[in-house]
């Protein structure tokens, strides 16, 4: 009798439904795309699995996460520790997002919409194999949703722990991906304060225990990550990588404009650095890359009114070309329309407009500095 009662329990049904959604998402996610379809993931995988050196530290990840991946690599030498760890993170976050969507959404329509969003992340956004920046953004999104669900509902310690853990994992995986949520988190926090202005003291009492642990964890992770990254042990490697990122990932001036300013550099060497041909590190070393990055960088030249115009055109073209970005844009527009039609408060309507404007400003900024690939847009849209 107790078994029948448990099986008929609403929470049990939600757990089983979330598990089935997650398994379906996982199977579909790995069936529709190759594991290493994101080349950055492959490069990081080589490092954390110690295929280059016994030291598996990667400056793009938090050192503690690298340490965990190193342990996994030792325990499972035939497996890819990066894929194992990121898959475990995504599996947990997809399950949790499905569970809280089913548990804390009243209408059947909204439950279906949330479940379809999870499936969309598998089929189109390809959350299981996408660039690790998007993975980090997805983890942080799930964590922030969990914390705000707790803030507006019953305060559950388990929810605070899970939400904080998800945000922490996203921050360790890719801080830049996690940082994209800061303006949207701040906007939602301000709106909540405005809505609760008559009971601000009671709101603060609810807000502090829910979000202070998460904020404290982020600060600790950031300080420790910066401390390790800037230590003497990795100083030269970090200098090399920062210069490499400027040279290869951002716009650079043509050779004709910099030839006179780089007397010790030949055109072939300059072209080699811009073309990712870095095999001979005796020539293209940290000092060489830093020199041409300082002289040849064209990032600041695009920070103008004309640059903003080009950025708008580029972003529109990118959205129209990419089916995922186009679909995400349509979903966001529909959600904003739904907020206006369903009689939400004025402050919520203003929030939705400001969130959309903020997302566009962030994307335009990245495009103006020459760094707005689809993965950055997808992370912002999340």
């Amino acid at each position: 009798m107790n078994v029948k009662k448990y099986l008929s329990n609403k929470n049990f049904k939600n757990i089983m439904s979330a598990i089935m959604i997650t398994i379906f998402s996982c199977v579909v996610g790995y069936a529709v795309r190759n594991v290493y379809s994101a080349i950055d993931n492959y490069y990081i995988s080589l490092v954390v699995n110690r295929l280059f050196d016994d030291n598996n530290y990667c400056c793009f990840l938090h050192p503690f996460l690298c340490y965990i991946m190193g342990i996994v690599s030792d325990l499972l030498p035939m497996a890819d520790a990066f894929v194992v760890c990121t898959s475990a993170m995504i599996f947990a976050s997809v399950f949790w997002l499905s569970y809280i969507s089913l548990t804390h959404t009243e209408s059947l329509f909204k439950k279906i919409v949330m479940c379809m969003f999870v499936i969309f992340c598998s089929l189109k956004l390809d959350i299981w194999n996408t660039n690790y920046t998007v993975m980090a953004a997805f983890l942080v999104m799930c964590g922030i949703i969990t914390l705000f669900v707790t803030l507006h509902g019953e305060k559950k310690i388990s929810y605070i722990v899970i939400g904080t853990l998800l945000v922490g994992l996203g921050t360790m995986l890719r801080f830049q991906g996690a940082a994209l949520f800061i303006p949207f988190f701040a906007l939602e926090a301000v709106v909540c304060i405005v809505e609760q202005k008559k009971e601000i003291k009671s709101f603060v009492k609810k807000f502090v225990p829910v979000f202070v642990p998460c904020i404290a964890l982020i600060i600790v992770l950031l300080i420790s990550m910066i401390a390790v990254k800037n230590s003497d042990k990795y100083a030269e490697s970090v200098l090399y990588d920062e210069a490499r990122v400027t040279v290869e990932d951002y716009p650079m001036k043509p050779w004709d404009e910099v030839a006179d300013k780089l007397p010790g550099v030949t055109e072939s060497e300059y072209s080699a650095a811009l073309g990712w041909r870095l095999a001979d590190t005796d020539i293209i070393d940290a000092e060489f890359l830093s020199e041409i990055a300082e002289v040849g960088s064209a990032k600041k030249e695009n920070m103008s009114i004309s640059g903003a115009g080009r950025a708008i055109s580029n972003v529109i073209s990118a959205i129209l070309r990419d089916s995922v970005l186009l679909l995400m844009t349509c979903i966001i527009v529909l959600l904003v329309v739904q907020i206006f039609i369903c009689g939400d408060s004025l402050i919520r309507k203003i929030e939705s407009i400001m969130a959309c404007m903020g997302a566009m400003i962030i994307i335009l900024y990245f495009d103006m500095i020459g760094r707005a690939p689809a993965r950055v847009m997808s992370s912002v849209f999340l």
Side-chain angles (χ1 to χ4, degrees):
M1 187 67 181
N2 290 334
V3 175
K4 288 183 178 180
K5 185 178 180 180
Y6 184 76
L7 291 176
S8 62
N9 183 276
K10 185 178 180 181
N11 191 54
F12 175 78
K13 291 180 179 179
N14 289 338
I15 291 174
M16 294 307 299
S17 297
I19 291 174
M20 287 188 289
I21 291 170
T22 305
I23 292 174
F24 174 78
S25 169
C26 180
V27 172
V28 171
Y30 283 116
V32 299
R33 198 171 178 186
N34 295 330
V35 173
Y36 298 114
S37 52
I39 191 65
D40 289 350
N41 293 8
Y42 178 71
Y43 291 146
I44 292 174
S45 174
L46 296 177
V47 175
V48 298
N49 285 286
R50 300 192 183 96
L51 296 181
F52 288 131
D53 190 82
D54 290 338
N55 186 342
N56 78 328
Y57 170 65
C58 174
C59 65
F60 299 112
L61 309 182
H62 191 278
F64 182 69
L65 184 58
C66 295
Y67 175 75
I68 295 299
M69 290 182 176
I71 294 175
V72 173
S73 179
D74 292 336
L75 294 174
L76 303 171
M78 298 301 293
D80 183 338
F82 180 82
V83 173
V84 171
C85 291
T86 53
S87 296
M89 293 180 198
I90 297 301
F91 191 95
S93 59
V94 169
F95 164 77
W96 184 249
L97 180 61
S98 302
Y99 173 73
I100 61 174
S101 299
L102 294 169
T103 305
H104 296 278
T105 306
E106 295 180 0
S107 70
L108 178 61
F109 174 74
K110 289 184 178 180
K111 289 182 179 182
I112 294 173
V113 169
M114 287 302 297
C115 291
M116 290 301 295
F117 171 73
V118 173
I119 294 173
F120 161 78
C121 287
S122 300
L123 288 173
K124 299 301 293 182
L125 188 58
D126 190 30
I127 196 65
W128 297 90
N129 302 312
T130 190
N131 185 278
Y132 70 114
T133 301
V134 185
M135 289 182 178
F138 184 80
L139 289 166
V140 174
M141 179 198 72
C142 294
I144 290 178
I145 288 175
T146 303
L147 294 177
F148 274 109
V149 165
T150 308
L151 180 67
H152 293 297
E154 181 184 354
K155 189 175 73 175
K156 296 182 178 180
I157 295 178
S158 59
Y159 276 40
I160 296 174
V161 172
I162 293 171
T164 301
L165 180 61
L166 288 172
V167 173
L169 288 172
T171 302
M172 288 195 293
L173 185 59
R174 179 65 160 163
F175 174 75
Q176 287 83 346
L180 292 172
F181 281 85
I182 293 175
F184 303 105
F185 166 78
L187 176 62
E188 175 64 18
V190 170
V191 170
C192 289
I193 292 172
V194 172
E195 287 183 328
Q196 303 291 330
K197 60 183 178 182
K198 294 182 179 179
E199 301 177 357
I200 190 66
K201 289 185 179 180
S202 61
F203 174 76
V204 171
K205 288 181 180 179
K206 289 179 65 178
F207 183 89
V208 169
V210 173
F211 283 99
V212 166
C214 179
I215 295 172
L217 176 62
I218 292 173
I219 292 173
V220 170
L221 290 174
L222 182 59
I223 291 174
S224 57
M225 184 168 61
I226 292 174
V228 173
K229 187 175 181 179
N230 293 331
S231 64
D232 294 339
K233 184 176 182 179
Y234 301 110
E236 185 177 353
S237 299
V238 170
L239 178 65
Y240 179 90
D241 187 72
E242 289 176 348
R244 178 199 61 79
V245 168
T246 300
V247 170
E248 296 174 355
D249 292 348
Y250 291 93
M252 294 288 289
K253 298 174 184 176
W255 169 251
D256 293 341
E257 294 183 21
V258 299
D260 296 337
K261 301 176 183 178
L262 295 170
V265 179
T266 65
E267 182 177 2
S268 61
E269 291 171 344
Y270 187 79
S271 300
L274 269 60
W276 286 71
R277 292 184 286 274
L278 307 178
D280 193 347
T281 52
D282 289 335
I283 297 176
I284 304 179
D285 55 12
E287 183 179 355
F288 174 87
L289 284 175
S290 298
E291 181 182 5
I292 65 171
E294 183 178 353
V295 174
S297 177
K299 285 195 292 185
K300 294 181 180 179
E301 295 185 356
N302 292 324
M303 302 301 290
S304 61
I305 295 177
S306 60
R310 287 193 299 270
I312 293 173
S313 176
N314 292 339
V315 170
I316 293 174
S317 299
I319 291 174
L320 293 177
R321 287 195 310 268
D322 193 306
S323 60
V324 176
L325 295 177
L326 181 59
L327 186 55
M328 293 182 78
T329 303
C330 292
I331 292 172
I332 291 171
V333 171
L334 289 174
L335 288 174
V336 172
V337 171
Q338 187 263 345
I339 290 173
F340 275 81
I341 292 176
C342 293
D344 282 62
S345 63
L346 178 61
I347 188 66
R348 288 296 174 181
K349 293 176 181 178
I350 294 173
E351 179 190 22
S352 63
I353 294 174
M354 291 184 67
C356 292
M357 291 176 61
M360 184 55 64
I361 290 172
I362 292 172
I363 291 172
L364 289 177
Y365 167 76
F366 277 105
D367 189 88
M368 288 173 71
I369 63 173
R371 193 70 177 132
R375 61 179 178 272
V376 172
M377 295 189 189
S378 298
S379 300
V380 174
F381 284 159
L382 282 174

